[in-house]
Amino acid sequence: CGAATVSKSVARLEDILGVELLSRNAHKVEITAAGYITYNRAKEIRQSWQELFSEINNQDARIKGKLRFSAPSILCEYAACSWVFDYINQNPDADVQLLSRDRTELTVASPEFDDLVFKSGMTDSPDLGHQSVGRVRFGLYASPDYLCRHPLISTPEDLNHHWIMKVDHPFLCLPIPFTQGQNTVELTVRNNTWLASNSVSSVLNMTLSGAGVCLALPDWVASQYVNTGELEIILPEWKLPEMPVWLVWRNREN
């Protein structure tokens, strides 16, 4: 549309609303406070109209549209790509963008908030919609080469004599409850020979290289390496807490 057409449309809207949306003088045109409010509400109305138009024209009930789905990098590497691939094969009109994001905190005000988020740990905001999708089990692991070269680990206290690779996550903050039947101890590391990283892949690779004991790898990641003999479970009779995982989204305003 030309400038004259836009100006007439704005003037008609000002007449309907009874307020000034643009402040005009000889030198410039500025949007007023009422103009900002009207602009933001107009965007919401436009979005609602588009959603309504999509719904009433989707008579075959097919899933359509764009979706930004984010998950931790380790999940994207091992599983989420397959999930998305299967989903778009079943719903060819869906456009899913998979994003790798290693976040620990997430609130409704987070600047990077995708349409659907796969998140571990605890939910951070009561304003978010969320659905539990299970729990992650963890274990302590080391390579056979490392275990051959270092003292035997038969109790949790023995870990203080070993190099430790720790997955850096709020859920795994030391001390961690460590349970054997009815017996619970607080698992901690009282030496400086340890490396922490929020990258599960990095910690996994260091453990596979024989650098130390990993505290803690997700069982679903480590299991394939246990099956091939590249990793061994440390203190298998002891159990770490299971971490909840969620699908999280912003609640829509009614």
Side-chain angles (χ1 to χ4, degrees):
C1 297
T5 302
V6 172
S7 180
K8 290 180 181 178
S9 297
V10 172
R12 285 198 299 269
L13 185 57
E14 288 177 326
D15 288 339
I16 294 171
L17 298 175
V19 296
E20 186 179 55
L21 303 178
L22 297 176
S23 176
R24 308 167 181 84
N25 58 44
H27 302 288
K28 60 182 178 180
V29 176
E30 293 182 335
I31 189 168
T32 65
Y36 277 112
I37 294 173
T38 303
Y39 173 70
N40 289 327
R41 288 290 293 139
K43 289 198 299 181
E44 294 174 5
I45 293 170
R46 181 175 181 270
Q47 177 66 27
S48 297
W49 169 256
Q50 290 176 334
E51 291 174 357
L52 172 62
F53 184 81
S54 176
E55 289 177 12
I56 63 178
N57 284 278
N58 188 20
Q59 299 298 323
D60 54 6
R62 289 183 297 173
I63 297 176
K64 300 178 180 180
K66 295 182 178 181
L67 175 70
R68 290 163 57 90
F69 172 50
S70 63
S73 57
I74 188 69
L75 198 67
C76 289
E77 181 178 350
Y78 281 87
C81 278
S82 296
W83 298 346
V84 172
F85 184 78
D86 291 342
Y87 184 83
I88 59 178
N89 272 330
Q90 297 175 19
N91 303 280
D93 293 320
D95 180 4
V96 182
Q97 182 181 13
L98 176 61
L99 301 166
S100 172
R101 301 196 192 279
D102 289 307
R103 55 164 65 86
T104 56
E105 295 183 359
L106 187 67
T107 70
V108 72
S110 297
E112 287 186 346
F113 197 132
D114 304 303
D115 299 318
L116 189 63
V117 178
F118 193 98
K119 183 183 182 301
S120 60
M122 305 306 294
T123 56
D124 303 306
S125 173
D127 300 322
L128 299 177
H130 58 275
Q131 174 65 51
S132 174
V133 291
R135 305 179 77 85
V136 176
R137 294 191 301 271
F138 292 96
L140 278 68
Y141 297 90
S143 71
D145 177 64
Y146 176 86
L147 295 174
C148 287
R149 294 183 287 106
H150 293 82
L152 179 68
I153 304 173
S154 57
T155 68
E157 290 74 18
D158 292 336
L159 294 170
N160 290 296
H161 306 294
H162 290 264
W163 269 96
I164 301 295
M165 263 67 68
K166 179 180 175 295
V167 175
D168 191 13
H169 191 287
F171 188 80
L172 297 171
C173 287
L174 296 173
I176 305 172
F178 206 32
T179 305
Q180 182 189 42
Q182 300 299 317
N183 184 27
T184 298
V185 300
E186 288 191 338
L187 180 60
T188 187
V189 180
R190 296 187 298 273
N191 59 40
N192 295 321
T193 54
W194 60 300
L195 168 71
S197 174
N198 69 339
S199 170
V200 176
S201 294
S202 297
V203 174
L204 169 63
N205 289 331
M206 289 295 291
T207 308
L208 289 169
S209 74
V213 177
C214 183
L215 170 70
L217 280 176
D219 286 359
W220 68 271
V221 174
S223 60
Q224 60 181 301
Y225 300 99
V226 173
N227 293 337
T228 59
E230 296 173 85
L231 290 178
E232 292 186 15
I233 305 173
I234 307 302
L235 302 174
E237 68 277 11
W238 288 84
K239 304 299 180 185
L240 293 167
E242 295 184 357
M243 181 174 66
V245 290
W246 312 85
L247 283 176
V248 182
W249 62 90
R250 277 196 181 102
N251 288 314
R252 290 189 178 183
E253 294 183 2
N254 295 324

